[in-house]
Every structure is written in structure tokens, then in C-alpha cells.
């Protein structure tokens, strides 16, 4: 009996010593610093944004289809009925939630890169505007952060101006994803949707359009400053029809966020990309960024590179119901000149050299 008691006492002493050793080891581990915590929050903010844009619509669609074959089929039916009832809302100004723009998560998103908005001229609330956003990049990070979230102070820099951002109309056919987009102030890049904001929503509206679109994303890579703009004139025609001033903007650093495998013109892979783009509206880019656990690993998250979006001087545009081709060409050329001026005056301030030129195709 004494032997058993002695053995138990020895085990208890050993267990107590083991616990004490474990506690000492735990306390010796350095706690994460405030900087580490902020870095982690920034990474999570970017992760949720990337996953939302890449997966939210597709996953929601698959879940609703799956529910149709379960006892919860009524959820899918009710939501389908809601989409049919709400079909035209995206093209009538959407359903913006101002509180979403003020989410703290967008401040962490901004600080990850970081993203900065620079104002060069005032925008009067008495007019409406079409802001040309350049370049497209892979995921339009600069345009989203500056024109959809309030983290970079757009409303403070341009008081009385309400900003919108256009994206592919097909995105508004995806369940739940459409609600997410509309709540932030995104609208379809269609004549009807843009025309509504410029004519039926009063004044003080600034509709940002990423003019280069999917075709421009195929040439996105670090150090490249090539825009597809020469034959993109529809936005100028709309500006004339509604008397909306044209405003150039350029996001320096946008093309540095990802590395892309660029296929040469004429190659079979390039042909597949271009055909896919014409059918689906977006281009299947082969790109990579950093991984989730380390900036040195490869993954789908953007690299932390500074983005500075400079908003230039507005080009005054008259209201002409049926502008001629010559008038459209005239104001299109004026817009290009304003964009080139903006680029040349700011390129050396934000990471480019004096010899870098903006190539417009």
C-alpha cells in the first residue's frame, strides 16, 4: 500500500512539474506585437475581399441549386422569385448601403498595400461626372478601394460627390453576389445603368468606368503602362448625351500587384483568352501573387505594393442629345490629352522614371 501511495505521489509531482514547465515555456514565447496584429488584420481584410469577388457568386449559385433537391427547396424558389422581382434594380441606381463604406475592414484593406487617393482639382456638385479609371490591372484594387469604400476619403476630398463604380453586368445575375455589389455602390457597365445615374439621380454623381476592361488585363504586368483606349469611345458619347464632365484618373502601382503569364499576340493561348473574353465578358488570366502564410510563397493574394490613384482635371462637356462622330472624336482626344498630362505630371512622384511613357492602343 505504501508503495502505491509513493508511486502516486511521484506521478502527481511529475505532472505538477510538467504543467509548471509548460506554463514557463508558454510565457517565454513572445506575444504578437501591435504591428503583427495589424498585419494579420490587413491580410484577412484582403483575403475576404479576394474570396468574395472570386467565389461568392459561384458558391452561392451552387448552394441554391443544391437546395432545390433537398427539403429546403423553398429557399431557392423564394430567392429566385426575389431576383425576378428585383431584376431591374441594379440598372436603376442599385441599393447602396452607406454603412458598408465605413466598415473598419476597408481601412485594414487600404493599409495592406497601402492605397492613397490624390486630388488635383475640385469637382463641383452641380455637375455629373464620368471618371475614367486606368489601368485595369487584374482585380481593379485601386478603383474599388477609392470609389467604393470610404477608407481613402473620397467624400471628404470631393464633398457633395457620390461615387459609383461599374462592373460586368453578368455579375448582377449571380445570387447574393449581386446584393453584395449593389450595397457597395457598384452598377452594371451598361448604357441603361450609367444613363440612369447621369440623368435620373440628380447631380453630384461620379460614375467610374474602368475603360480598358478585360482586354487590358491581358497585358497587365509590372513595369507596363499600356492602355486600351484609342477605340473606346462609348463613354465619351454617353458623357455628351448627358452633359457629364469627363475626369481622367490613373492608379500608379496597380499593375504591380500580381505576376501574370503573358502570352504573345498570335499564340494559341492568346487566341483562347481573347475568344473567351468576347463570349464571357472577362479574360481568363494566368496570374499569381503571394501566399497566405508568407509573402515569399506563391498564391492568389495580391502583393503589398503601394497604389496611388490620382484624379485629374475635369474636361467640360456640353449636353448634346445626338453628338456627331466628329464631336465624339474631339472630346475623346481632349480626354486622352488630359490623361497624358496627368500621367506625365505625376509619374516620377509615384514610382516611375522620367523616361516612362504611357502607351495608348
Amino acid at each position: 500500500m505504501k508503495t502505491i501511495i509513493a508511486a502516486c505521489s511521484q506521478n502527481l509531482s511529475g505532472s505538477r512539474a510538467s504543467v509548471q514547465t509548460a506554463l514557463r515555456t508558454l510565457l517565454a514565447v513572445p506575444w504578437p506585437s501591435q504591428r503583427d496584429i495589424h498585419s494579420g488584420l490587413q491580410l484577412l481584410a484582403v483575403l475576404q475581399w479576394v474570396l468574395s469577388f472570386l467565389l461568392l457568386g459561384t458558391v452561392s449559385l451552387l448552394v441554391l441549386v443544391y437546395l432545390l433537391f433537398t427539403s429546403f427547396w423553398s429557399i431557392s424558389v423564394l430567392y429566385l422569385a426575389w431576383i425576378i422581382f428585383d431584376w431591374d434594380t441594379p440598372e436603376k441606381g442599385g441599393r447602396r448601403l452607406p454603412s458598408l463604406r465605413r466598415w473598419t475592414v476597408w481601412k485594414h484593406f487600404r493599409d495592406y498595400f497601402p492605397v492613397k487617393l490624390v486630388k488635383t482639382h475640385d469637382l463641383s456638385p452641380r455637375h455629373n461626372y464620368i471618371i475614367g479609371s486606368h489601368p485595369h490591372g487584374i482585380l481593379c484594387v485601386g478603383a474599388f478601394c477609392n470609389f467604393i469604400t470610404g477608407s481613402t476619403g473620397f467624400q471628404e476630398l470631393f464633398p457633395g460627390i457620390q461615387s459609383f463604380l461599374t462592373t460586368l453586368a453578368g455579375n448582377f445575375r449571380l445570387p447574393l453576389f449581386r446584393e453584395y455589389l449593389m450595397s457597395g455602390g457598384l452598377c452594371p457597365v451598361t448604357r441603361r445603368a450609367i444613363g440612369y445615374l447621369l440623368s435620373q439621380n440628380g447631380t453630384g454623381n461620379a460614375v467610374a468606368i474602368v475603360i480598358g476592361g478585360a482586354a487590358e488585363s491581358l497585358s497587365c504586368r509590372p513595369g507596363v503602362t499600356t492602355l486600351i483606349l484609342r477605340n473606346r469611345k462609348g463613354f465619351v458619347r454617353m458623357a455628351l448625351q448627358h452633359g457629364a464632365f469627363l475626369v481622367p484618373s490613373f492608379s500608379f502601382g496597380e499593375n504591380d500587384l500580381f505576376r501574370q503569364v503573358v502570352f504573345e499576340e498570335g499564340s494559341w493561348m492568346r487566341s483562347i483568352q481573347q475568344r473567351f473574353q468576347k463570349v464571357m465578358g472577362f479574360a481568363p488570366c494566368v496570374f499569381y501573387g503571394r501566399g497566405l502564410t508568407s509573402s515569399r510563397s506563391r498564391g492568389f493574394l495580391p502583393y503589398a505594393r503601394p497604389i496611388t490613384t490620382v484624379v485629374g482635371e475635369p474636361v467640360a462637356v456640353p449636353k448634346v442629345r445626338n453628338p456627331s462622330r466628329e464631336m465624339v472624336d474631339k472630346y475623346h482626344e481632349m480626354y486622352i490629352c488630359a490623361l497624358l498630362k496627368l500621367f506625365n505630371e505625376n509619374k516620377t512622384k509615384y514610382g516611375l522614371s522620367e523616361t516612362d511613357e504611357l502607351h495608348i492602343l
Side-chain angles (χ1 to χ4, degrees):
M1 187 68 180
K2 293 181 179 179
T3 304
I4 295 173
I5 294 173
C8 289
S9 300
Q10 188 175 1
N11 287 338
L12 288 173
S13 300
S15 299
R16 199 175 297 114
S18 299
V19 171
Q20 291 174 348
T21 303
L23 287 174
R24 290 195 195 96
T25 303
L26 181 62
L27 293 174
V29 175
W31 289 88
S33 64
Q34 190 172 10
R35 180 178 179 180
D36 294 332
I37 294 173
H38 283 310
S39 297
L41 291 174
Q42 292 165 13
L43 192 63
L44 289 175
V46 174
L47 176 63
Q48 67 81 25
W49 180 79
V50 171
L51 291 179
S52 296
F53 269 82
L54 295 182
L55 298 177
L56 179 59
T58 303
V59 171
S60 299
L61 180 60
L62 292 175
V63 169
L64 287 178
V65 171
Y66 169 75
L67 291 178
L68 282 173
F69 302 95
T70 68
S71 57
F72 299 100
W73 59 268
S74 58
I75 296 177
S76 298
V77 172
L78 288 173
Y79 188 77
L80 178 60
W82 163 252
I83 288 183
I84 294 173
F85 174 79
D86 197 52
W87 191 261
D88 290 335
T89 299
E91 296 195 338
K92 293 183 177 180
R95 196 165 35 246
R96 176 193 291 258
L97 294 178
S99 59
L100 185 143
R101 295 172 61 93
R102 298 191 294 269
W103 280 1
T104 303
V105 68
W106 301 130
K107 295 181 180 179
H108 295 305
F109 180 86
R110 171 202 64 194
D111 294 339
Y112 171 83
F113 297 96
V115 182
K116 181 182 179 183
L117 180 64
V118 176
K119 166 186 172 180
T120 61
H121 292 78
D122 291 329
L123 298 181
S124 170
R126 295 193 300 269
H127 300 289
N128 285 326
Y129 302 89
I130 289 181
I131 300 178
S133 179
H134 310 275
H136 182 283
I138 297 294
L139 294 178
C140 303
V141 172
F144 176 86
C145 191
N146 289 300
F147 302 129
I148 292 301
T149 80
S151 61
T152 56
F154 183 92
Q155 290 184 326
E156 290 74 22
L157 289 173
F158 302 102
I161 303 297
Q162 186 172 220
S163 61
F164 298 85
L165 179 63
T166 59
T167 185
L168 293 175
N171 289 330
F172 294 88
R173 305 298 178 241
L174 295 172
L176 296 186
F177 191 43
R178 69 190 296 273
E179 322 299 340
Y180 177 76
L181 295 177
M182 284 193 292
S183 64
L186 283 100
C187 63
V189 61
T190 62
R191 290 182 179 275
R192 184 184 177 192
I194 298 171
Y196 181 92
L197 293 173
L198 297 178
S199 62
Q200 305 295 321
N201 205 43
T203 60
N205 300 294
V207 183
I209 303 175
V210 186
I211 298 169
E216 193 172 273
S217 66
L218 293 177
S219 301
C220 167
R221 60 184 184 271
V224 174
T225 50
T226 300
L227 305 181
I228 295 180
L229 176 60
R230 190 66 63 183
N231 295 318
R232 302 287 176 100
K233 300 180 181 180
F235 74 102
V236 178
R237 182 175 295 278
M238 288 208 68
L240 285 164
Q241 290 173 340
H242 298 284
F245 288 13
L246 291 167
V247 183
S249 72
F250 195 93
S251 293
F252 294 91
E254 182 73 44
N255 285 348
D256 298 333
L257 304 183
F258 293 95
R259 302 292 182 267
Q260 182 180 185
V261 179
V262 178
F263 301 101
E264 298 297 328
E265 288 290 342
S267 65
W268 65 275
M269 278 298 298
R270 185 73 164 197
S271 300
I272 291 176
Q273 287 178 313
Q274 292 171 341
R275 289 176 184 174
F276 193 93
Q277 173 208 329
K278 290 180 180 179
V279 174
M280 302 300 294
F282 64 94
C285 301
V286 181
F287 67 90
Y288 65 89
R290 60 157 290 176
L292 182 61
T293 57
S294 171
S295 59
R296 297 180 181 179
S297 61
R298 291 189 180 185
F300 56 90
L301 296 179
Y303 291 107
R305 301 288 186 271
I307 303 173
T308 304
T309 301
V310 184
V311 179
E313 181 179 4
V315 177
V317 175
K319 186 175 182 179
V320 182
R321 179 171 296 181
N322 295 304
S324 64
R325 179 179 296 180
E326 291 74 18
M327 180 172 286
V328 171
D329 290 342
K330 172 187 173 182
Y331 283 94
H332 184 261
E333 192 60 36
M334 290 173 64
Y335 175 83
I336 290 178
C337 290
L339 177 61
L340 288 171
K341 178 183 177 184
L342 173 70
F343 177 82
N344 291 324
E345 288 180 350
N346 292 277
K347 60 184 180 182
T348 57
K349 300 177 185 177
Y350 305 114
L352 299 179
S353 67
E354 190 65 44
T355 57
D356 284 322
E357 296 181 358
L358 187 60
H359 302 284
I360 298 177
L361 304 178

